[in-house]
Amino acid sequence: MNPSNENELTQAVLERLSGATDPRFAQVMGSLIKHLHAFIRDVDLKPDEWMNGIQFLTAVGQACDDKRQEFILLSDTLGASMMVVMLDQARAMAKDRARLSATEATHATVQGPYYWEGAPEQPLGANIAEGVVGEPTFYSGRIFDTAGQPLKGALLDIWSGDGEGNYDMQIAGAGMAARARIRTDDEGRYWFWSIRPSYYPVPVDGPVGRMLDGMGRHPNRPGHIHMVVSATGHVPVTTHLFVANSPYLDSDAVFGVRPSLIVEYESHPAGQAPDGRVMDSTYWSAHYDFHLEPQAA
Ligand code: BEZ
Ligand code: FE
């Protein structure tokens, strides 16, 4: 059928999905069409505004290369990435609740663009940020399952920016820094040294930066250290630890803060640290236990 007015148009477009062979694809596209049409009607989108939108999305695509993913940044800053992360974890947790677990799994948050696969595996207690600008911090805790059993040999794949908010990947030609993979001991314990990360802005020299500016938004993320926590037979969690009292904890540009991930960094004078290392300057410590849910059978 040919629509004779805008009221018939949405139905006409939806009917063209009748030949789709993948039902999930048809469901996703159907909902997208309905919401897109409703949005255009809601704001009564004018042709020049529609063209601006096309040009904006074109610029987002053109800003992408093998190091930069402006579409993910767009998704992050519009809260779409966190919506997907939260729904995914809520779905998994609903299954876990059916097993009457003692604890919830550690909350997940966005991965962000600075994950670099293949960080070196380092021994427990290693300083993973040797030579990196920033205040030394002793990180420790344990990894448990959601029934409270410690997970031996669980993996923390860790990365962060430096104490001034710069990631190694942002520095042309730089190798890996402040990244490592660390495995827990027989009692599920981990400990390592790194730095206390600073807040920093997401990249703003592209179309997403202009969008944030137009919205009157700042581009900053509060100080955080990233990790993917995994163990055989368990659902991995991509998460961060956020530095308590960091600026922007209440207004993360990518909506990634979850209160359960905010950690107090305790200040210590120079002297012997908990792992026996003798520090000749003040240092920080941060303690956090992670929980992973067992993989569904
Ligand atoms: C990050 O934390 O590394 C990040 C997350 C989303 C967008 C930009 C950066
Ligand atoms: Fe980050």
Side-chain angles (χ1 to χ4, degrees):
M1 133 186 130
N2 284 318
S4 52
N5 57 47
E6 75 278 12
N7 295 320
E8 292 176 4
L9 179 61
T10 305
Q11 195 49 36
V13 179
L14 289 172
E15 280 167 12
R16 300 277 172 97
L17 279 168
S18 60
T21 51
D22 177 341
R24 175 66 178 161
F25 181 65
Q27 182 194 8
V28 170
M29 289 308 296
S31 180
L32 177 66
I33 290 161
K34 277 189 228 158
H35 283 89
L36 182 61
H37 286 211
F39 154 72
I40 293 169
R41 295 171 73 119
D42 182 41
V43 299
D44 191 15
L45 199 70
K46 310 291 183 300
D48 60 324
E49 293 167 334
W50 172 81
M51 185 47 84
N52 278 346
I54 298 284
Q55 282 166 349
F56 171 73
L57 290 176
T58 305
V60 170
Q62 285 167 341
C64 295
D65 60 26
D66 59 339
K67 287 246 159 54
R68 176 149 180 177
Q69 234 303 350
E70 195 80 356
F71 267 112
I72 294 184
L73 189 59
L74 178 61
S75 163
D76 291 344
T77 51
L78 293 180
S81 306
M82 265 317 275
M83 181 62 86
V84 172
V85 166
M86 284 173 158
L87 285 178
D88 187 52
Q89 205 173 29
R91 198 183 308 116
M93 279 181 180
K95 274 193 218 133
D96 199 39
R97 259 194 296 283
R99 282 195 289 261
L100 293 175
S101 300
T103 329
E104 271 196 344
T106 299
H107 284 146
T109 186
V110 287
Q111 176 169 296
Y114 300 125
Y115 179 67
W116 192 340
E117 204 163 331
E121 192 151 342
Q122 298 240 33
L124 281 164
N127 178 5
I128 72 166
E130 203 80 62
V132 171
V133 177
E135 295 165 330
T137 302
F138 179 69
Y139 291 88
S140 65
R142 294 177 82 183
I143 305 181
F144 296 99
D145 67 13
T146 46
Q149 290 303 310
L151 294 173
K152 167 187 175 179
L155 189 67
L156 280 170
D157 193 345
I158 308 153
W159 71 103
S160 78
D162 64 18
E164 294 175 350
N166 301 304
Y167 281 81
D168 50 7
M169 281 171 111
Q170 294 175 296
I171 301 160
M176 284 192 183
R179 296 176 189 270
R181 286 179 295 156
I182 301 261
R183 280 190 193 278
T184 54
D185 71 4
D186 288 353
E187 288 163 54
R189 290 178 301 202
Y190 74 86
W191 64 98
F192 65 92
W193 287 86
S194 186
I195 51 87
R196 182 172 181 261
S198 163
Y199 68 89
Y200 63 85
V202 302
V204 288
D205 56 344
V208 172
R210 291 196 292 281
M211 177 193 78
L212 293 177
D213 209 34
M215 288 176 156
R217 284 173 52 179
H218 73 72
N220 296 299
R221 299 213 63 207
H224 60 271
I225 180 167
H226 298 251
M227 50 272 292
V228 179
V229 190
S230 61
T232 309
H234 294 77
V235 180
V237 175
T238 298
T239 192
H240 306 354
L241 301 182
F242 290 93
V243 181
N245 304 316
S246 169
Y248 307 111
L249 264 184
D250 290 333
S251 61
D252 183 2
V254 304
F255 307 93
V257 177
R258 313 200 61 178
S260 64
L261 301 176
I262 299 173
V263 180
E264 292 293 337
Y265 280 56
E266 259 184 69
S267 175
H268 303 274
Q272 195 167 37
D275 64 343
R277 194 179 281 242
V278 177
M279 301 299 293
D280 56 12
S281 65
T282 56
Y283 66 96
W284 299 89
S285 67
H287 187 87
Y288 195 82
D289 292 339
F290 297 92
H291 296 87
L292 299 181
E293 64 174 303
Q295 210 110 42

